[in-house]
Each structure stands twice: as C-alpha cells, then as structure tokens.
Amino acid sequence: CDSPLLFFLFATLFFAQRIMRFGHTRDYVFAGLLAGLATATKYNGLAAGILIPVAHWLSPNCVSLRRALFDPRVILGVLMVPTGFVLGNPYALIEWNRFVGDFMYNYEVTPAYGGQHGHGYNAFLRRFAEILGWPGAIGCWIMALGSLALVVRRNRLNRDQVTGFILIGSFFLLDYLKIGSFARMPTRFVLPAFTFALLLARPV
C-alpha cells in the first residue's frame, strides 16, 4: 500500500507551500525531514526533495536563482532529506554495505525486471486509464492542460495560484522524467505522480 508514501509526499508539499508563503527556517527543516521519510517509504519519494529549492525560488524573498541555490535555509532543508531517510530506515546506516549493495541491485534491475527494453513514458501516461478509466484519464489531462494554459497566460490568476501550479508541476515532471525512463511500468510506480496530476487538473 502506498498510503504512507502519499502521506509524506503531501506533508512535504504542505511545508513547501509554507516556504513560499512565510520562509521560516522550520518549514525548510520539516519539508526536508518529510521528503526523507517519503524516500524511506519508497525510493521514488526522493523526488519530493525538489519541492524545497523550487518553493524557495518561487517565494517573494528570493531575489535570484544563484542566491536561491546557496541560501542557508535551502541547504539546511536539502541536508534534512538524508536525515529523514535515516530516521525512517536506520538500518541503511547500521548495515551500510548491505544497503548500498541492495540499493544498486534494485536500481539496475527494477526498470527492466522482466527483460523489457526502451522507455516507458507512453506506458506511464496510459497507467492513468487503469486508475481512472479512459474517460477519467482524458478528462484529467484536458483539465491539467487547461490549467497550464491559464498559468502561462496568467489570465485572472493571482500569484498563489501560479506558484502553486508550478510547485506541484515540478514534482510531477521530475517523477515522470525519471520513472518514465523505466521500460517496466507497473501501475504502482505511477501513483505518486498520479495524485499530483489530480492537483494539477483542479481549477487554478
């Protein structure tokens, strides 16, 4: 069941939104810890880490991209990701050699466990139909593209709506680019990005 993963992903998103609005140091810390816990639940939860620098970049107190990358709060938040991972999976540190060996084995084998070749970008998108059915999947994509068009045009949208869409989209895009590169594509691989796609499809 991916319920714990989804919980930690949405909790990370919550604190990332607080980073955009308030920029308190504790929000960076909690976002990093929760992204690490998401990674300890399932490795593809690591994509949640991108929410920290993106949220900072979208915040009003960010004056330049270069400064954003070296802001102490961003560095602290990113460093909390491995901390959260170890808290969620302490045996990764206790049995380090075994963890590294198992991780590298899974990293090599998981994308093509059944001997598949190529990539799974199209299969990734088709898995939405297995979850929602084709009418629901098509409706989701149409609504997401409509929201994207509104964001690009910034037609009658406030700043929070635009930045919220970009923040959510950053996770979806990173997860799609990485997981979609797998030749093997079980539906469970798609669930994290699917839930964020539903948020992208909401009226902005």
Side-chain angles (χ1 to χ4, degrees):
C1 178
D2 284 321
S3 296
L5 171 61
L6 297 180
F7 170 80
F8 288 125
L9 288 178
F10 281 114
T12 305
L13 177 62
F14 171 78
F15 283 101
Q17 290 175 320
R18 287 185 58 86
I19 290 173
M20 288 196 304
R21 296 186 62 187
F22 307 112
H24 298 317
T25 301
R26 62 177 177 271
D27 296 324
Y28 292 82
V29 171
F30 282 123
L33 281 174
L34 289 162
L37 289 169
T39 309
T41 305
K42 290 286 180 66
Y43 290 144
N44 56 349
L46 182 59
I50 197 174
L51 297 174
I52 300 170
V54 172
H56 180 83
W57 174 62
L58 294 171
S59 66
N61 59 0
C62 177
V63 295
S64 72
L65 180 59
R66 185 178 66 178
R67 291 187 180 181
L69 294 176
F70 295 100
D71 188 285
R73 292 168 299 176
V74 175
I75 296 173
L76 177 61
V78 172
L79 289 176
M80 295 309 294
V81 176
T83 302
F85 177 78
V86 171
L87 288 175
N89 183 19
Y91 285 97
L93 196 59
I94 295 172
E95 298 189 22
W96 173 252
N97 291 332
R98 180 177 179 181
F99 164 73
V100 172
D102 289 347
F103 177 84
M104 295 306 301
Y105 173 81
N106 286 326
Y107 185 80
E108 295 292 335
V109 171
T110 298
Y113 183 76
Q116 300 91 336
H117 299 282
H119 61 76
Y121 293 113
N122 293 331
F124 187 103
L125 299 178
R126 289 198 300 270
R127 294 298 176 267
F128 280 50
E130 294 186 9
I131 301 170
L132 289 176
W134 277 111
I138 293 172
C140 176
W141 286 118
I142 291 175
M143 293 177 66
L145 291 174
S147 295
L148 176 61
L150 290 175
V151 168
V152 171
R153 294 178 58 189
R154 297 190 179 183
N155 184 23
R156 297 190 298 273
L157 298 181
N158 59 44
R159 187 180 188 280
D160 289 340
Q161 291 172 313
V162 173
T163 55
F165 186 93
I166 295 173
L167 180 65
I168 296 167
S170 68
F171 174 88
F172 175 84
L173 182 62
L174 179 60
D175 194 69
Y176 173 69
L177 291 176
K178 179 56 182 177
I179 303 301
S181 67
F182 293 1
R184 172 174 170 253
M185 194 59 59
T187 303
R188 68 179 184 274
F189 286 4
V190 180
L191 285 175
F194 166 75
T195 56
F196 276 68
L198 292 180
L199 295 178
L200 295 176
R202 81 199 193 286
V204 293

